[in-house]
Amino acid sequence: MAISRRNFIKNAAAASAFLALGVAPKAMAAGPGDKVDNWVKGVCRYCGTGCGVMVGVSNGKVITVKGDPNNHNQGILCLKGALLAPVIYAKERVTKPLIRKNGELVEASWDEALDLAASKFKEAIAESDPDSVAYYGSGQALTEETYLASKIFKAGLKSNNVEGNPRLCMASAVGGYVSTFGKDEPMGSYNDLDAATCFFIIGSNTSECHPVLFRRIAARKQNDKNVKIIVCDPRRTNTSRIADLHMSMKPGSDLAILNSMAYVIVNEELDDYRFHNKYVNFMTNDKEKVDFEAYKVFLADYKPEDIEELAGVPAAQIREAAMIFAESSATTSLWCMGINQRIRGVWANNLIHNLHLITGKIGKLGSTPLSLTGQPNACGGVRDTGGLSHLLPAGRLIKKQAHRNQLEEQWGMPKDSLNPKPGLHTMALFQAMNDGKVKVVLTLCTNPAQSLPNVLKYREGLEKCFNVAIEAFSDAISLKYADVVFPPAFWVERTGVFGCTERRYALVEQAIEPPGECRPSVNILIDLALRIGVDPALIPYKNSDDIWDEWRKVSAMTPYNFEGITRERLKKESGIKWPCPTEDHPGTDIRYVRGEDPNIPLDYPDKYHFYGKPDGRAVVWMRPQKPAAEPAGGDYPFTLTTGRVIDHWHTATMTGKVPEIARSFPNAYVEVNTKDAKRMGINHGDNVKLTTRRGDMTFKARVGDVCEPGLVFVPWFDPKLLINELTIDAIDPGSKQPEFKICACQVEKV
Ligand SMILES: Nc1nc2c(c(=O)[nH]1)N[C@H]1C(S)=C(S)[C@@H](COP(=O)(O)OP(=O)(O)OC[C@H]3O[C@@H](n4cnc5c(=O)[nH]c(N)nc54)[C@H](O)[C@@H]3O)O[C@H]1N2
Ligand SMILES: Nc1nc2c(c(=O)[nH]1)N[C@H]1C(S)=C(S)[C@@H](COP(=O)(O)OP(=O)(O)OC[C@H]3O[C@@H](n4cnc5c(=O)[nH]c(N)nc54)[C@H](O)[C@@H]3O)O[C@H]1N2
Ligand code: SF4
Ligand SMILES: [Mo]
């Protein structure tokens, strides 16, 4: 039955998260809740929305999960979060240490496994140097785990080869915030969603990937008829179905569209001259400071009529989008991988910030450029603690001597003893394994043999390198390459902090004992480090509370300052947003604004202060349109894009264990546009072969109008039909993030 747009919005507002399976929210609430002995507060372990949960425990087992009414999600969860309990008890849990003997992973004692792993680290460092070892972590690890692993490698082993999956995910967003504002992380919060009258959603399928936030946006629209939603995405996603305006663009034309919107705003004199004259510098790509007039000259190339063909969007739509954006009383932009996973992801991020800076729609409730983060702890765990190869905790940089010296003092190390050379970024790291330069790697909470782009190319390195994995599920395909596997305590089997999209830190409290011989990852990391020979004085922790306390202090002399977010507070409160300098500070909703951001003195003369930049001014960057690394054309006339579906999480090691979810999406498929399908004689369910310059693979077709003609989409959750064998591994020169979203391909019926 056709569903009207108005009804769709209503349904989306009421139960978007449950729509995919047609399960009513009422059914979800039913459960053995009356038998629960105690409820333990936590955070959902899936997406960067960071919903608060209450975990229902009975006789030492988690029997149900419900939303935390005191957290931002106000008690609401999507299906994935609500169905977390069975994942804990999946029969595929790794519960004993494993080591590879005669090609097979076999059970071993903790001592045997730890000694073997430690000896390989020692050997590699002794034979070559500390750069021959690496850590590859995750935005799903706890903050304490990433902070500790990063410290062990950078301070203990003197290797800056500390990376993680956020490089595949948020690196371009980090690059965007840092180059525009001088500091990482969004300045706004989810409160902006309740005040915005315009939502500009670009390259984000919010409805499937941040369902609880989408529900909040849909509710906002439902309750206020003035609210306008603009979606810019080459697919007709569920998200686009609540849009007043959907710019169904050609993949990779975002830079042109964003500049074109700026062109309209400036030419219609909808810019806020008073704001940008005082708080903004205009800069060329070569970092030359210019004036507003020069910016106008730059924009002259982006008249909507001149780019409509390139963008595949009618000029009138671009004009309309710009007018809605600029004329609304409050505009919030939301974006995710459609923007970040591009070889010009950083630039695209800059251009979104530009729109807010030229209109002054920033730092006011409802007006903010809010980058949606993917994983539950990419922000708090990896970005904030500096869990990447060029970073140190709290926004410090390895290449800056003053920053290194601060950490050396904090960590009780001799001055100038940290390794001053940044380590390898993710794709360079896996290449270095191919080349035999990185000989031992420790992975934690990530499944790179499935998630890397152009993945077949890197399997050689995974085979060659001695692989030590801390992994919860035995069917994660990366374990095919593991030489040692440590069984970790999973989700609510240990305690630690998650930090979500809106700078909110919240505690995941231990609710149950881990099964078998599983141990918290911080204990595993400490034991391994001691056996490798790391100075015990560097890791003097009794438990993860001690690590949190140290990290609080490390933050204190920076604008992250969250010394006031103590463990005691986290136990009582359902999350607090940094900065939060003192225990009586309520946390910060809006950064860079006097009276809101505790980093700005109350007697500071100006209202706004972008203190990440030397002169306190944010930057409007002049970033030109650039094509994708491998645009469609010639022998490869289609664009292949990859992404997510609402029910599965990434490599499906967890969601694949939940029957209700697994049934709805058993296998990967390819979305083909109806017109293309007709031309090629493809019917729904037919086998379709996709060929890229890296290989070919056959999928069942889903024919419809989700993709524009010329575009095909494949979700990447299926290890049996692994589209990452076909995707390109080109990277953004700034952020080093791969272009998962665009490569050229052939499509044929087989
Ligand atoms: N259900 C579910 N939710 C998740 C996850 C999950 O695995 N499953 N993972 C989490 C993580 S880690 C992440 S990073 C986020 C990702 O969240 P999203 O980024 O929202 O999800 P994707 O499906 O990767 O891609 C988003 C959109 O980008 C569009 N796109 C492709 N090319 C272009 C382009 O050139 N320009 C524009 N403007 N758009 C383009 C696609 O059509 C798609 O709709 O989701 C998080 N939430
Ligand atoms: N084609 C394509 N590929 C992509 C993307 C895309 O859009 N398209 N997106 C990229 C993005 S944005 C991301 S974030 C990455 C994600 O890529 P990955 O991080 O590789 O994917 P996950 O499935 O989340 O891997 C998490 C692993 O940790 C295990 N695990 C779960 N809980 C725990 C725990 O508590 N402790 C430990 N030690 N292990 C645990 C899981 O079983 C799983 O094997 O993929 C990237 N790859
Ligand atoms: S929206 Fe994200 S954080 Fe919230 S319940 Fe769903 S998966 Fe978990
Ligand atoms: Mo991600």
Side-chain angles (χ1 to χ4, degrees):
M1 193 186 75
I3 169 166
S4 72
R5 199 175 77 89
R6 179 134 194 93
N7 270 332
F8 181 78
I9 296 169
K10 228 162 115 185
N11 285 338
S16 83
F18 305 99
L19 276 183
L21 291 182
V23 179
K26 210 167 81 210
M28 296 311 309
D34 46 346
K35 285 193 256 147
V36 167
D37 306 330
N38 63 318
W39 290 100
V40 183
K41 184 168 66 60
V43 183
C44 172
R45 65 106 31 249
Y46 292 120
C47 87
T49 301
C51 295
V53 298
M54 300 302 294
V55 177
V57 180
S58 171
N59 288 324
K61 283 202 131 195
V62 175
I63 57 165
T64 188
V65 175
K66 64 178 185 183
D68 175 358
N70 299 318
N71 210 319
H72 66 79
N73 53 309
Q74 299 183 329
I76 294 157
L77 296 178
C78 81
L79 201 59
K80 290 188 296 303
L83 291 178
L84 260 162
V87 180
I88 303 173
Y89 301 104
K91 62 178 188 323
E92 293 86 353
R93 281 290 300 274
V94 183
T95 54
K96 291 222 164 92
L98 307 170
I99 59 177
R100 193 167 294 282
K101 275 191 185 154
N102 304 322
E104 297 287 317
L105 283 175
V106 295
E107 287 178 7
S109 70
W110 271 103
D111 274 336
E112 199 182 351
L114 283 164
D115 282 340
L116 175 61
S119 70
K120 294 292 176 179
F121 273 98
K122 280 197 286 201
E123 223 172 271
I125 295 170
E127 275 172 18
S128 323
D129 57 42
D131 293 341
S132 63
V133 303
Y135 170 79
Y136 186 67
S138 172
Q140 298 162 63
L142 296 172
T143 300
E144 293 82 348
E145 293 166 358
T146 303
Y147 176 84
L148 174 64
S150 185
K151 186 177 177 189
I152 287 172
F153 277 74
K154 288 173 183 164
L157 303 179
K158 307 283 158 55
S159 170
N160 290 329
N161 289 336
V162 170
E163 278 284 299
N165 58 17
R167 185 71 77 177
L168 311 176
C169 180
M170 300 314 297
S172 297
V174 177
Y177 278 120
V178 172
S179 50
T180 298
F181 301 103
K183 291 274 168 234
D184 188 21
E185 299 284 357
M187 57 287 296
S189 80
Y190 297 154
N191 294 349
D192 292 302
L193 303 178
D194 305 325
T197 48
C198 166
F199 292 92
F200 179 51
I201 303 177
I202 178 163
S204 150
N205 186 2
T206 327
S207 134
E208 302 208 47
C209 295
H210 296 85
V212 169
L213 294 183
F214 182 73
R215 188 185 182 283
R216 191 154 162 183
I217 295 166
R220 173 92 189 95
K221 178 148 185 71
Q222 170 77 4
N223 295 335
D224 183 346
K225 63 178 179 0
N226 296 315
V227 170
K228 293 270 188 278
I229 298 179
I230 307 163
V231 169
C232 187
D233 195 301
R235 292 166 61 231
R236 268 179 214 86
T237 57
N238 253 352
T239 310
S240 75
R241 291 179 65 187
I242 70 165
D244 297 276
L245 172 62
H246 174 204
M247 289 190 274
S248 193
M249 35 99 66
K250 286 189 190 157
S253 59
D254 307 80
L255 295 155
I257 293 173
L258 291 162
N259 277 330
S260 191
M261 286 172 68
Y263 171 96
V264 175
I265 289 167
V266 167
N267 279 276
E268 297 296 328
E269 300 195 354
L270 292 170
D271 59 304
D272 183 343
Y273 187 82
R274 246 177 43 162
F275 183 89
H276 66 69
N277 190 41
K278 187 162 177 186
Y279 298 113
V280 164
N281 287 320
F282 294 90
M283 291 235 195
T284 67
N285 238 353
D286 301 325
K287 299 188 181 166
E288 190 195 336
K289 216 186 312 183
V290 293
D291 61 10
F292 183 52
E293 293 309 311
Y295 177 59
K296 280 195 196 161
V297 172
F298 163 79
L299 291 178
D301 287 346
Y302 296 93
K303 194 173 170 203
E305 289 70 17
D306 296 341
I307 66 134
E308 64 178 353
E309 198 185 317
L310 178 146
V313 178
Q317 284 192 3
I318 299 174
R319 288 186 181 278
E320 193 189 344
M323 302 294 279
I324 299 173
F325 186 106
E327 288 185 322
S328 88
S329 58
T331 299
T332 288
S333 295
L334 301 164
W335 68 99
C336 206
M337 291 309 120
I339 290 291
N340 294 351
Q341 288 174 340
R342 299 286 321 288
I343 54 157
R344 286 299 171 191
V346 176
W347 289 10
N349 272 265
N350 291 142
L351 295 187
I352 296 172
H353 297 315
N354 282 2
L355 295 179
H356 288 269
L357 289 169
I358 60 172
T359 55
K361 292 196 184 301
I362 189 164
K364 305 176 179 93
L365 191 64
S367 281
T368 199
L370 183 66
S371 144
L372 293 171
T373 207
Q375 300 175 88
N377 202 23
C379 287
V382 177
R383 289 159 71 173
D384 300 353
T385 73
L388 292 173
S389 62
H390 62 296
L391 294 175
L392 287 169
R396 297 173 177 102
L397 296 173
I398 285 194
K399 64 175 188 220
K400 284 206 176 156
Q401 188 184 18
H403 290 182
R404 290 197 308 278
N405 290 163
Q406 281 173 5
L407 261 302
E408 286 152 356
E409 202 185 317
Q410 273 283 330
W411 287 344
M413 301 169 69
K415 192 162 180 248
D416 293 327
S417 60
L418 279 168
N419 179 349
K421 197 173 127 231
L424 300 168
H425 62 80
T426 291
M427 298 318 296
L429 182 67
F430 284 93
Q431 183 59 47
M433 293 183 205
N434 279 356
D435 300 341
K437 289 186 184 140
V438 167
K439 295 174 180 154
V440 186
V441 66
L442 172 67
T443 61
L444 172 73
C445 206
T446 180
N447 193 1
Q450 181 163 346
S451 56
L452 290 175
N454 192 5
V455 69
L456 288 180
K457 177 171 156 190
Y458 299 99
R459 287 206 176 149
E460 181 196 339
L462 291 170
E463 303 253 6
K464 252 200 240 171
C465 186
F466 191 87
N467 253 277
V468 181
I470 306 181
E471 164 61 58
F473 295 94
S474 58
D475 52 345
I477 61 175
S478 296
L479 292 193
K480 286 188 197 155
Y481 307 92
D483 299 289
V484 176
V485 185
F486 294 124
F490 172 70
W491 193 39
V492 290
E493 294 164 359
R494 86 293 201 204
T495 297
V497 175
F498 272 173
C500 71
T501 293
E502 61 163 358
R503 289 174 286 104
R504 177 191 291 263
Y505 288 168
L507 193 66
V508 184
E509 280 199 71
Q510 181 172 359
I512 51 167
E513 288 302 317
E517 296 183 27
C518 293
R519 300 173 58 191
S521 294
V522 295
N523 300 33
I524 304 174
L525 289 166
I526 289 173
D527 271 4
L528 181 63
L530 291 174
R531 286 177 203 230
I532 301 173
V534 168
D535 179 358
L538 276 175
I539 41 178
Y541 317 110
K542 286 189 303 299
N543 53 33
S544 81
D545 294 0
D546 293 348
I547 303 175
W548 179 256
D549 281 341
E550 178 179 308
W551 169 218
R552 266 197 308 134
K553 295 213 175 67
V554 169
S555 81
M557 49 175 120
T558 72
Y560 283 73
N561 191 351
F562 59 90
E563 223 185 342
I565 308 186
T566 59
R567 265 311 210 244
E568 290 66 38
R569 269 186 88 177
L570 285 170
K571 281 184 185 153
K572 282 189 236 125
E573 297 173 46
S574 292
I576 304 156
K577 290 166 235 174
W578 64 266
C580 177
T582 53
E583 284 188 46
D584 55 3
H585 191 279
T588 301
D589 285 334
I590 306 180
R591 288 157 86 205
Y592 307 132
V593 178
R594 188 188 59 208
E596 299 274 349
D597 184 332
N599 290 308
I600 304 174
L602 286 173
D603 59 357
Y604 188 77
D606 299 323
K607 175 95 193 277
Y608 298 89
H609 182 30
F610 296 105
Y611 47 75
K613 291 287 181 186
D615 60 359
R617 286 168 175 248
V619 178
V620 165
W621 286 101
M622 292 149 69
R623 306 295 199 195
Q625 166 66 22
K626 288 272 186 228
E630 191 185 74
D635 289 344
Y636 296 86
F638 280 80
T639 301
L640 165 65
T641 194
T642 62
R644 293 158 172 81
V645 294
I646 184 165
D647 288 336
H648 275 303
W649 178 259
H650 295 166
T651 66
T653 59
M654 293 172 280
T655 45
K657 311 278 186 302
V658 184
E660 293 87 332
I661 289 179
R663 267 200 302 275
S664 67
F665 287 99
N667 296 112
Y669 52 84
V670 57
E671 280 172 1
V672 186
N673 178 272
T674 314
K675 282 189 198 136
D676 289 332
K678 198 166 171 200
R679 189 165 46 80
M680 294 186 288
I682 298 170
N683 291 311
H684 200 77
D686 282 354
N687 283 328
V688 169
K689 183 163 96 173
L690 302 185
T691 309
T692 70
R693 292 187 173 89
R694 291 149 294 280
D696 62 69
M697 205 175 282
T698 298
F699 298 88
K700 296 269 183 234
R702 286 202 182 181
V703 176
D705 70 345
V706 179
C707 284
E708 284 285 315
L711 178 68
V712 289
F713 166 85
V714 178
W716 66 278
F717 63 80
D718 188 347
K720 297 180 298 306
L721 285 172
L722 186 47
I723 191 63
N724 287 29
E725 295 181 8
L726 269 52
T727 54
I728 194 170
D729 54 352
I731 56 172
D732 182 306
S735 67
K736 320 295 182 198
Q737 180 164 347
E739 188 155 70
F740 284 110
K741 285 292 176 269
I742 302 175
C743 70
C745 99
Q746 298 166 355
V747 178
E748 67 188 293
K749 184 179 165 169
V750 287

